[in-house]
Amino acid sequence: MIKLQNVNKYFYRGEPREVHALRDINLIIEAGEFTLFRGPSGCGKTTLLNVIGALDSCDSGEIFLQEREITALSEGERTNLRLHEMGFVFQAYNLIPVLNVEENIGFVMRLRGFSDSDIKKRVLEVATLLEIDNKLKSLPNALSGGQQQRVAVARAVAAKPKIILADEPTANLDSKNSEILIGMMRELNEREEISILFASHDELIMRSVTRIVTLIDGAVADDYKQ
Amino acid sequence: MYKLILKLAWKNSFLRRARVLLVIIMIAVSMSMMLVLEGVYDGLVKNMVDKNKRSESGDISIFAKEYRVNRDLTYRIKNADEIKAQLQSMKGVEAVVLRVKADGLLSTARKSSFASLIGIDLKEEEHFGKFSEFLKEGVIDLQKQGAIVGIELAKTLKLRIGSKVVFSTQDTKGEINSIALHVRAIVQTTNIGLDNSAIFIDINQSHKFLGTTSQDAMQIAIRGEERELYEKLKRAFPNLDVKEFLELQPMMKMMQDVMIIFNSVTFLIVMGVVFIGIFGVMYVSILERVREFGIMISLGMPYRYIRAQIFLESIVVGLLGYLGGAVLGAVLLIYLERYGIDLSAFSDALEMWGYEAVIYATIKVSYFTTTFGAIITASLLSVIIPLAKIKKLNPIEVIKADK
């Protein structure tokens, strides 16, 4: 469970160009939820994702992951938290170009110290699920955009994190690939009971998620389950 | 984990092959040139030291007190034969020779010059310092009033093989005495003092001429590399003047120091080049991959792993450059150790300074170990600034920039 209490975030604080990016955000995201943060550009959805994902800190308020408060963690502790509890899917795939698909998928698992045999087994499992098991030895630049994003999802899922944060994962994909990817993520969400949080304004994602949180000017304007 | 870091470092090292290859070649070539310079410098000094030891001073020389200040026959060692026997039985002593010396005037029919008469035992000198290797012209033979002269002295007096000369000096009684000699050989020792003024005759002849006995000698020269030998001899002969090589040849000490400075400066310049080369390639390589590092950090990769990866990448470049330089340098040094650099075109100038026209290099393991240490250090230092940039990296900015 993720709990946000009165979370505020400012950019350029104290300067004339100050931006109040998140305003008194109060949210509870239960384990296994398939949630979308939506809203117009600049509404704070990516900032909210970054704050939940411990990539960024908030200026006031508290964030709890399970029962643990993560707002006051040091840089090193945040890195460690991301490694052990989170998975990330970015808009631009962001695979490591010198590693092949198998190595990219197993990257986080290797950082976490899983054994070679566990990594191999799990990589094959998620790759099969995401239908990229025939590309394991390929380098990322030999794959299509859709395949690369599936590798990114596989990397995020492989180490079985509690939460996956996906920022505009379909922005660079065509509708067919987007549909396949979201379908696969939905399946992973159900099979592995991983909370998946999207920041996107993709209609396809909107139709697929179970909960939609709408942000406007950094504040929660609407929050409903479907 | 370290397998992954090694893999990342290795693969990233060759991401821009042409650029990395150029830096590796640059390191290899500059390092091999430095090794050659070091080897040649050392070879030059080693050769001079070796010839000086063999031709004159040995590793240690013993004189009567005062002799080196006042080169008078009065200050001679009067029980030299006993001391020689004693020395020959000492551990660490490899060879001992007695020499009788007297300064005087060497004359031909037309010219005269200052000269130092040195009475030697040819057989013993051969064992002591391979005297025959100094032969430039003629035959090494001191029988029947034969004499061997230094090359510069021969030039001064326009001596040839077979020339007749007369050497005049005061004998032990203070009377001026002369001896007629035939030049049988001309030697070149590259010991400036000897080449300019030495005239070698048989030691028994010199005793007869100067009025000394076979028990007398002005110098007892000793070969023996043991460090303790000098202290041992000083303690054993407190009434004599025991001097080690560098005390007798302060110029050699100075030259050794100058060569160390030369080598150090060359070393620093080459390491500077290595540092700049690796810094340049690593700086660009890291800046090109800021996004990649940002992603790794956002995925939870601790900074220490990224630091290890970058250090490894720079070490790979440095190490490959080192290996290339070591192989090329070793090949060149082996060639120069065997065949030398022939600078006969400048032989006059070189010989004037005591150098040989053909310079042979030396090879020491320390050249390679020191360079290895320095290249690894330069490799590690060269990524400190790029690493500082990565440490300040905000992954959110990288991800944002990506959109």
Side-chain angles (χ1 to χ4, degrees), chain A residues 46 50 55-56 79 82-83 88 90-92 94-99 103 107-108 110-111 116 155 167-168, chain B residues 1 3-4 7-8 11-12 15 291-292 295-302 305 394-396 399-400 402-403:
Chain A
T46 296
N50 289 340
L55 278 168
D56 207 351
T79 305
R82 289 198 298 274
L83 179 63
F88 294 88
F90 307 101
Q91 179 181 330
N94 289 328
L95 302 175
I96 296 160
V98 292
L99 299 182
E103 291 160 342
F107 184 78
V108 177
R110 214 164 267 290
L111 287 180
D116 282 357
R155 177 178 66 186
D167 191 7
E168 306 278 11
Chain B
M1 181 61 239
K3 217 162 85 178
L4 174 70
K7 189 176 278 183
L8 282 168
K11 289 187 172 180
N12 278 305
L15 210 54
R291 191 187 89 162
E292 193 179 312
I295 297 307
M296 287 175 175
I297 293 168
S298 64
L299 291 176
M301 188 169 188
Y305 291 163
N394 180 356
I396 298 167
I399 297 163
K400 203 190 284 178
D402 236 20
K403 284 191 170 185

Side-chain angles (χ1 to χ4, degrees), chain A residues 11-189:
Chain A
F11 291 118
Y12 313 112
R13 197 164 192 190
E15 294 177 31
R17 54 176 179 161
E18 180 180 285
V19 176
H20 196 167
L22 296 176
R23 294 168 192 265
D24 295 320
I25 304 284
N26 288 289
L27 276 175
I28 292 176
I29 298 159
E30 297 294 344
E33 271 192 15
F34 202 52
T35 305
L36 167 69
F37 297 129
R38 55 166 283 203
S41 292
C43 70
K45 46 189 193 298
T46 296
T47 305
L48 182 58
L49 220 55
N50 289 340
V51 166
I52 294 171
L55 278 168
D56 207 351
S57 56
C58 56
D59 294 305
S60 67
E62 288 164 331
I63 302 168
F64 294 88
L65 181 67
Q66 319 294 30
E67 296 302 313
R68 184 184 176 197
E69 195 195 337
I70 63 167
T71 16
L73 296 180
S74 68
E75 195 58 52
E77 288 168 329
R78 292 218 308 257
T79 305
N80 200 37
L81 180 80
R82 289 198 298 274
L83 179 63
H84 289 90
E85 312 281 351
M86 318 274 182
F88 294 88
V89 180
F90 307 101
Q91 179 181 330
Y93 327 132
N94 289 328
L95 302 175
I96 296 160
V98 292
L99 299 182
N100 65 26
V101 168
E102 187 177 14
E103 291 160 342
N104 263 291
I105 297 174
F107 184 78
V108 177
M109 290 184 80
R110 214 164 267 290
L111 287 180
R112 283 176 57 179
F114 283 80
S115 70
D116 282 357
S117 59
D118 285 349
I119 295 170
K120 205 173 169 81
K121 199 173 146 194
R122 178 69 176 155
V123 165
L124 188 64
E125 187 184 349
V126 290
T128 308
L129 196 67
L130 291 160
E131 296 170 13
I132 43 172
D133 50 323
N134 58 340
K135 299 281 180 189
L136 288 179
K137 299 296 172 197
S138 306
L139 284 173
N141 60 10
L143 304 179
S144 68
Q147 286 170 331
Q148 286 192 55
Q149 196 60 301
R150 273 187 259 167
V151 176
V153 171
R155 177 178 66 186
V157 169
K160 297 190 176 174
K162 292 193 174 67
I163 311 151
I164 289 179
L165 302 142
D167 191 7
E168 306 278 11
T170 55
N172 289 339
L173 302 182
D174 58 31
S175 58
K176 190 183 164 199
N177 271 308
S178 298
E179 202 167 327
I180 294 168
L181 186 85
I182 297 306
M184 286 171 172
M185 289 181 85
R186 180 75 218 219
E187 198 181 332
L188 284 166
N189 164 250

Side-chain angles (χ1 to χ4, degrees), chain B residues 27-75:
Chain B
I27 295 171
V29 171
S30 51
M31 184 189 140
S32 61
M33 289 304 116
M34 183 194 75
L35 291 175
V36 166
L37 281 177
E38 255 186 308
V40 169
Y41 283 161
D42 279 354
L44 209 66
V45 173
K46 190 186 163 198
N47 184 269
M48 285 182 74
V49 167
D50 178 59
K51 289 204 165 176
N52 272 274
K53 283 183 178 179
R54 281 165 50 205
S55 62
E56 192 180 16
S57 51
D59 294 298
I60 300 164
S61 277
I62 302 177
F63 305 90
K65 294 261 184 197
E66 298 288 320
Y67 174 76
R68 292 180 63 247
V69 180
N70 185 358
R71 287 165 65 93
D72 192 287
L73 295 185
T74 319
Y75 304 112

